[in-house]
Amino acid sequence: MEEGGSAGGGGSDSSTSGSGGAQQRELERMAEVLVTGEQLRLRLHEEKVIKDRRHHLKTYPNCFVAKELIDWLIEHKEASDRETAIKLMQKLADRGIIHHVCDEHKEFKDVKLFYRFRKDDGTFPLDNEVKAFMRGQRLYEKLMSPENTLLQPREEEGAKYERTFMASEFLDWLVQEGEATTRKEAEQLCHRLMEHGIIQHVSNKHPFVDSNLLYQFRMNFRRRRRLMELLNEKSPSSQEAHDSPFCLRKQSHDNRKSTSFMSVSPSKEIKIVSAVRRSSMSSCGSSGYFSSSPTLSSSPPVLCNPKSVLKRPVTSEELLTPGAPYARKTFTIVGDAVGWGFVVRGSKPCHIQAVDPSGPAAAAGMKVCQFVVSVNGLNVLHVDYRTVSNLILTGPRTIVMEVMEELEC
């Protein structure tokens, strides 16, 4: 795979001029639309705007009504009027993020037509740019987990930068995490991420090389996007300073304050907690949240579900009693760009608290009220959710989970 070789071309001057600069700006705009669209999709699932609908005796799964969505956008102040709302959704349609369920209408119309996010029906086009973006987002979220210390404030040539990683250490981490089988493969991956504008040298002076040079992610995946940003044709880097999704994160004295992130809650009953976490896992009271939702903000408090779905407490001994009314099931769950899509909670044993209907876990067959028996072959019946959370967070993208499900459910 030699395409990464072109990532070495040019310093800051050549990368921001001519066709190269135009291509980079287009990649930035595409990435912003992808993140904005995904954040909207998850919010609409959360509020049941997206659901299965029937028309002429036919069921259309995971869709929304255009007219109802426009009402929702205005009600939630994502659009000032219906005309603006149509323009915003047309932007998502033009980028192939949403489409009419029968592909009979290219334009987004303010009528009672069914539309669907392509990610909900598996028709989203995965070209090289999108694949690189999704890979970069997943790596970013893993690196942003509380347990990971690879991203650190560091100095290079007298300037201090925040959230940096050293090239050689990053390559070690990629191999260790199973993101690459060899160091050479890991370096090729980094070339592709750099070529597609996901990472760059802190001062944009060097290509990616296996060295002690410092690099950063150019995009802040965790910033909550407003839909109105889709109508701004300027490069995202000109919109903000510190929290710009594509700015180099050069550290100043006033940006070391702790931040909190908000993640979509599976129910309206919420508990407020302040924490920093990755999108696919959070700790909140007695629950671990493995969500398909990305972190939506860098300022509001974390939202999570404090109420158990279990009708009564169940012990590990009860599950293991011969003849007990429980059946074992095994799921292989491949995490997508933003997580695995389920909530785990409790202790000795842990149970499945909620499942994102559009996430990888649901696709594998996971359901609420199932009890977690093992993760990647390791028995977890006698541990709490923190241990289960850590196993999943620090493990490979593909997890194998064994559960027990009550036969009467």
Side-chain angles (χ1 to χ4, degrees), residues 2 5 26 99 121 160 174 218 265 277 285 314 346 375 385:
E2 298 298 329
E26 176 58 24
H99 68 122
D121 60 15
K160 179 172 283 189
L174 289 172
R218 297 189 65 194
S265 166
R277 62 198 179 144
V314 175
V375 176
Y385 78 94

Side-chain angles (χ1 to χ4, degrees), residues 152-408:
Q152 294 287 340
R154 295 181 176 91
E155 289 188 13
E156 186 172 292
E157 296 183 349
K160 179 172 283 189
Y161 302 88
E162 67 171 7
R163 293 183 183 177
T164 70
F165 57 86
M166 190 179 297
S168 58
E169 293 180 356
F170 188 51
L171 294 176
D172 291 337
W173 180 82
L174 289 172
V175 175
Q176 179 182 342
E177 290 293 309
E179 297 289 345
T181 56
T182 65
R183 196 175 186 84
K184 181 178 180 181
E185 183 182 326
E187 190 168 358
Q188 290 174 340
L189 169 59
C190 292
H191 286 312
R192 292 196 298 277
L193 293 177
M194 197 163 185
E195 180 180 340
H196 290 287
I198 307 297
I199 64 173
Q200 72 175 40
H201 177 252
V202 290
S203 60
N204 205 22
K205 292 180 179 179
H206 301 281
F208 189 91
V209 291
D210 186 355
S211 64
N212 292 336
L213 290 174
L214 301 182
Y215 297 83
Q216 293 171 312
F217 280 80
R218 297 189 65 194
M219 186 171 190
N220 178 6
F221 291 96
R222 293 188 164 192
R223 180 180 68 86
R224 178 171 178 173
R225 273 72 173 172
R226 301 289 298 180
L227 279 180
M228 289 299 295
E229 294 177 30
L230 296 179
L231 300 181
N232 190 342
E233 295 300 325
K234 294 181 180 180
S235 173
S237 60
S238 64
Q239 298 173 10
E240 301 180 75
H242 172 68
D243 256 349
S244 168
F246 286 94
C247 72
L248 280 176
R249 308 181 68 80
K250 192 169 184 178
Q251 191 176 47
S252 62
H253 295 292
D254 60 349
N255 62 14
R256 299 185 186 183
K257 299 174 183 178
S258 61
T259 57
S260 59
F261 296 93
M262 182 179 75
S263 183
V264 177
S265 166
S267 80
K268 293 182 179 179
E269 299 176 358
I270 58 176
K271 179 179 178 181
I272 304 299
V273 179
S274 180
V276 177
R277 62 198 179 144
R278 64 172 290 180
S279 67
S280 53
M281 190 215 68
S282 71
S283 298
C284 175
S286 59
S287 68
Y289 191 12
F290 292 84
S291 166
S292 282
S293 63
T295 305
L296 298 183
S297 177
S298 58
S299 55
V302 174
L303 304 180
C304 49
N305 186 13
K307 196 171 184 179
S308 174
V309 295
L310 297 180
K311 296 178 181 178
R312 64 178 181 83
V314 175
T315 65
S316 299
E317 289 72 23
E318 180 180 344
L319 292 176
L320 298 174
T321 300
Y326 296 95
R328 290 185 180 241
K329 294 185 176 181
T330 302
F331 304 126
T332 299
I333 307 171
V334 182
D336 62 17
V338 285
W340 293 273
F342 66 94
V343 179
V344 63
R345 184 180 179 183
S347 176
K348 302 178 183 181
C350 300
H351 64 273
I352 304 303
Q353 172 73 7
V355 179
D356 181 349
S358 63
M366 181 174 283
K367 300 177 182 178
V368 297
C369 297
Q370 293 172 334
F371 296 94
V372 183
V373 177
S374 67
V375 176
N376 294 330
L378 184 63
N379 189 291
V380 295
L381 273 176
H382 301 285
V383 301
D384 64 9
Y385 78 94
R386 293 181 182 85
T387 301
V388 175
S389 299
N390 188 61
L391 283 173
I392 296 174
L393 181 62
T394 59
R397 177 184 179 188
T398 301
I399 57 175
V400 178
M401 293 186 62
E402 184 181 13
V403 302
M404 295 187 76
E405 179 180 280
E406 190 170 6
L407 293 176
E408 297 177 355

Side-chain angles (χ1 to χ4, degrees), residues 102-118:
C102 298
D103 289 320
E104 295 176 352
H105 302 275
K106 298 296 183 182
E107 298 80 19
F108 188 86
K109 301 179 180 180
D110 186 4
V111 292
K112 292 184 178 180
L113 288 175
F114 291 170
Y115 290 82
R116 184 186 291 128
F117 282 80
R118 289 191 179 276

Side-chain angles (χ1 to χ4, degrees), residues 73-140:
L73 292 174
I74 295 174
E75 179 185 351
H76 289 77
K77 303 186 185 307
E78 290 288 353
S80 57
D81 52 56
R82 306 190 78 81
E83 182 180 357
T84 301
I86 293 172
K87 289 180 180 178
L88 291 170
M89 298 310 296
Q90 188 63 49
K91 285 281 186 180
L92 297 182
D94 292 342
R95 291 284 183 170
I97 293 175
I98 64 170
H99 68 122
H100 179 251
V101 291
C102 298
D103 289 320
E104 295 176 352
H105 302 275
K106 298 296 183 182
E107 298 80 19
F108 188 86
K109 301 179 180 180
D110 186 4
V111 292
K112 292 184 178 180
L113 288 175
F114 291 170
Y115 290 82
R116 184 186 291 128
F117 282 80
R118 289 191 179 276
K119 190 170 182 182
D120 284 333
D121 60 15
T123 62
F124 191 78
L126 295 177
D127 56 23
N128 289 335
E129 285 77 13
V130 173
K131 288 179 180 179
F133 165 80
M134 295 178 70
R135 187 75 176 273
Q137 183 179 25
R138 183 162 58 84
L139 293 174
Y140 178 89

